[in-house]
Amino acid sequence: MNSREIIELVESAESELKEIFSSIDKTAYFYSEKVLNAMQHNNLSEGCFNETTGYGYNDLGRDTIENIYKEVFSSEDAIVRNQFVSGSHALSVTLFALLRPGDLLLSISGLPYDTLHEVIGIKDNNSSLASFGVRYDQIDLVDDDFDYEKIESYLKNNKVKVIEIQRSKGYSTRKSITIDKIDRVIKLIKSIDKDVIIMIDNCYCEMVERINPIEVGADVVVGSLIKNLGGGLAPNGAYVVGSKNLIELVGERLTLPGEGREVGPTLGVNKQILQGLFFAPSVVASSLKTSILASRVMEKLNYKVSPKYDESRADIVQNIEFNDPDLLIKFVQGIQSGSPVDSNAIPIAWDMPGYSDQVIMAAGSFTQGSSIELSCDGPIRAPYIAYLQGGLTYDYGKLGLIKAIEYMEKN
Ligand SMILES: *Cc1c(COP(=O)(O)O)cnc(C)c1O
């Protein structure tokens, strides 16, 4: 295919997607109204953009950010900090905050995200939860849904402290978990044991569906600010929202017992975190449209894709299955070539800390590792899947896709 044919292919795919795109725009409007209201109700003012240094006592902006997050999630409390390196760190801090030696942690969505393996102790590490005597067990998904029967009998026979549910698929071929399934499984869990703490890894899922896990009974929800809610502007950080007593524990673990959430200098990032949240509804919509366009186009090019363009989505991630390491590598390199930063760099697979297989990543982003910006990555293992996500604007997402296909044709 030459460049003109590629553009024709992409535009003909795009013309099939008008209705789907219009429903995405409606969800973006829904969340924009929520964010605007939360900013107004919580008196967001210019003074909130001031920075604190040192201990970070009395940071008006930080408190306002946390109140705004509380309102957007309809949660009792929230902690939103740049002291969380990213989502993985917030997940780790939350697990260490909630679990004590002898406690049992149960994942009901199969193997957790790669960076949690050494946190939990699935992979050996002298600082893991296992090294402190925290036990771990796992129930796999069946046919992309929870194993309701197994969960029921497990909870009747074991005292579980924390149940972890990862919504987005990570580097797997399963489907991401929609809110209706989360709703059903939480009702089941709470009917058997109302004290178990339900913790959701919500990475990539924010503002995709109109209901969030707090609204269906989750106790604590964790996500990354270099993904959806950072809106591409937050330079790092993560959020944890949930019940007041649990968020208090997370604060005590993030900083130190006794000082907890009272400390934490924001060093000037408040404005970026707030403006990022302001843009997030629209940026998530652009990312979703980019993923859906890529799904339709790559399907037309005879690759297996998941989700398909017209399937309902729980997150912004698009899988494209190449069944061939070279094609995967070329596609990822192509996305890099369609990025604004380091477009001349040619990514290669490498041993990334926290991941078991070699991973190749296109990351031509303004913020290092940001995957709400157009990005694409995949572990070098069969069936050689590219995980595509992000797109700060739909036009840049579309251009990135066109350039990736051009690169594949040329190389
Ligand atoms: C990206 C991701 C994480 C980790 O978030 P980072 O901000 O990259 O550390 C955790 N869980 C899931 C499901 C993810 O997709």
Side-chain angles (χ1 to χ4, degrees):
M1 279 194 299
N2 62 33
S3 288
R4 205 178 46 82
E5 287 165 334
I6 294 170
I7 290 168
E8 273 170 15
L9 168 74
V10 169
E11 294 195 332
S12 93
E14 188 178 46
S15 68
E16 297 171 35
L17 304 173
K18 288 203 174 80
E19 253 173 69
I20 297 173
F21 283 8
S22 137
S23 98
I24 290 171
D25 289 335
K26 287 185 181 128
T27 303
Y29 182 83
F30 171 84
Y31 277 112
S32 297
E33 191 175 18
K34 234 179 207 267
V35 167
L36 183 62
N37 284 338
M39 290 183 168
Q40 295 177 348
H41 295 159
N42 291 288
N43 298 320
L44 177 60
S45 62
E46 205 178 349
C48 296
F49 306 147
N50 292 339
E51 70 169 34
T52 55
T53 55
Y55 299 128
Y57 291 137
N58 301 318
D59 191 310
L60 173 69
R62 190 185 67 207
D63 296 347
T64 304
I65 288 169
E66 292 178 348
N67 286 329
I68 290 169
Y69 264 71
K70 243 160 73 172
E71 181 167 334
V72 168
F73 277 93
S74 309
S75 66
E76 221 176 85
D77 215 337
I79 179 166
V80 186
R81 297 293 168 107
N82 55 306
Q83 277 77 30
F84 288 125
V85 175
S86 68
S88 300
H89 183 211
L91 288 161
S92 174
V93 168
T94 303
L95 288 168
F96 275 95
L98 303 180
L99 291 154
R100 298 290 176 273
D103 283 347
L104 177 57
L105 165 67
L106 175 69
S107 160
I108 58 169
S109 45
L111 191 64
Y113 192 71
D114 302 55
T115 54
L116 293 183
H117 296 182
E118 288 181 54
V119 172
I120 295 169
I122 296 166
K123 191 175 169 202
D124 267 350
N125 185 300
N126 286 335
S127 300
S128 68
L129 286 161
S131 80
F132 285 89
V134 173
R135 295 170 297 141
Y136 169 74
D137 212 345
Q138 169 181 317
I139 296 174
D140 290 334
L141 297 168
V142 279
D143 299 330
D144 292 328
D145 201 348
F146 296 108
D147 192 339
Y148 297 94
E149 274 171 36
K150 213 172 191 171
I151 292 167
E152 181 167 355
S153 75
Y154 193 93
L155 290 177
K156 285 182 171 158
N157 293 302
N158 297 278
K159 185 64 203 160
V160 175
K161 177 76 170 288
V162 175
I163 288 183
E164 200 246 1
I165 302 172
Q166 179 188 314
R167 297 188 62 195
S168 190
K169 67 193 104 178
Y171 286 141
S172 80
T173 51
R174 72 158 165 94
K175 292 198 187 314
S176 296
I177 302 172
T178 48
I179 202 74
D180 53 324
K181 290 175 186 159
I182 301 278
D183 185 17
R184 184 174 162 205
V185 83
I186 291 181
K187 285 200 173 85
L188 171 73
I189 295 165
K190 296 278 172 173
S191 76
I192 303 165
D193 182 351
K194 62 175 180 32
D195 296 328
V196 59
I197 299 168
I198 299 171
M199 168 183 167
I200 309 281
D201 176 349
N202 205 33
C203 284
Y204 285 136
C205 296
E206 299 91 352
M207 296 183 171
V208 172
E209 294 177 276
R210 292 195 185 195
I211 299 173
N212 84 72
I214 293 287
E215 295 166 306
V216 296
D219 297 294
V220 57
V221 174
V222 184
S224 176
L225 294 194
I226 54 172
K227 294 183 180 172
N228 301 21
L229 293 189
L233 289 183
N236 83 314
Y239 73 86
V240 187
V241 296
S243 316
K244 194 164 202 65
N245 59 326
L246 303 180
I247 297 303
E248 207 61 52
L249 288 170
V250 173
E252 300 277 299
R253 182 53 54 206
L254 173 63
T255 65
L256 62 154
E259 298 193 14
R261 301 159 63 191
E262 302 295 315
V263 293
T266 50
L267 308 172
V269 300
N270 286 346
K271 182 176 160 186
Q272 284 158 288
I273 289 178
L274 285 157
Q275 207 169 5
L277 180 67
F278 189 71
F279 277 119
S282 151
V283 172
V284 170
S286 297
S287 299
L288 275 169
K289 289 177 188 173
T290 301
S291 279
I292 289 165
L293 179 69
S295 177
R296 188 64 184 130
V297 168
M298 297 310 279
E299 185 179 39
K300 281 173 177 279
L301 290 173
N302 293 320
Y303 295 105
K304 197 172 150 192
V305 294
S306 175
K308 292 202 191 298
Y309 72 101
D310 56 355
E311 257 179 89
S312 60
R313 286 173 189 249
D315 64 16
I316 62 168
V317 183
Q318 180 63 45
N319 289 23
I320 304 155
E321 196 173 306
F322 288 100
N323 272 311
D324 175 339
D326 292 333
L327 286 174
L328 165 63
I329 289 166
K330 289 277 178 283
F331 183 76
V332 174
Q333 290 174 343
I335 291 290
Q336 181 81 34
S337 79
S339 301
V341 182
D342 292 329
S343 61
N344 289 321
I346 298 172
I348 52 166
W350 62 299
D351 296 304
M352 266 179 60
Y355 295 84
S356 314
D357 292 282
Q358 282 206 325
V359 178
I360 182 162
M361 287 201 161
S365 54
F366 291 93
T367 295
Q368 187 187 105
S370 168
S371 47
I372 187 64
E373 299 181 48
L374 183 67
S375 53
C376 185
D377 42 62
I380 307 297
R381 67 173 177 239
Y384 304 103
I385 294 172
Y387 297 80
L388 177 78
Q389 62 272 314
L392 292 181
T393 74
Y394 171 67
D395 291 317
Y396 289 126
K398 177 177 163 185
L399 280 161
L401 177 68
I402 290 170
K403 287 181 187 286
I405 299 168
E406 282 175 353
Y407 182 95
M408 286 180 88
E409 292 286 323
K410 271 192 223 132
N411 291 275

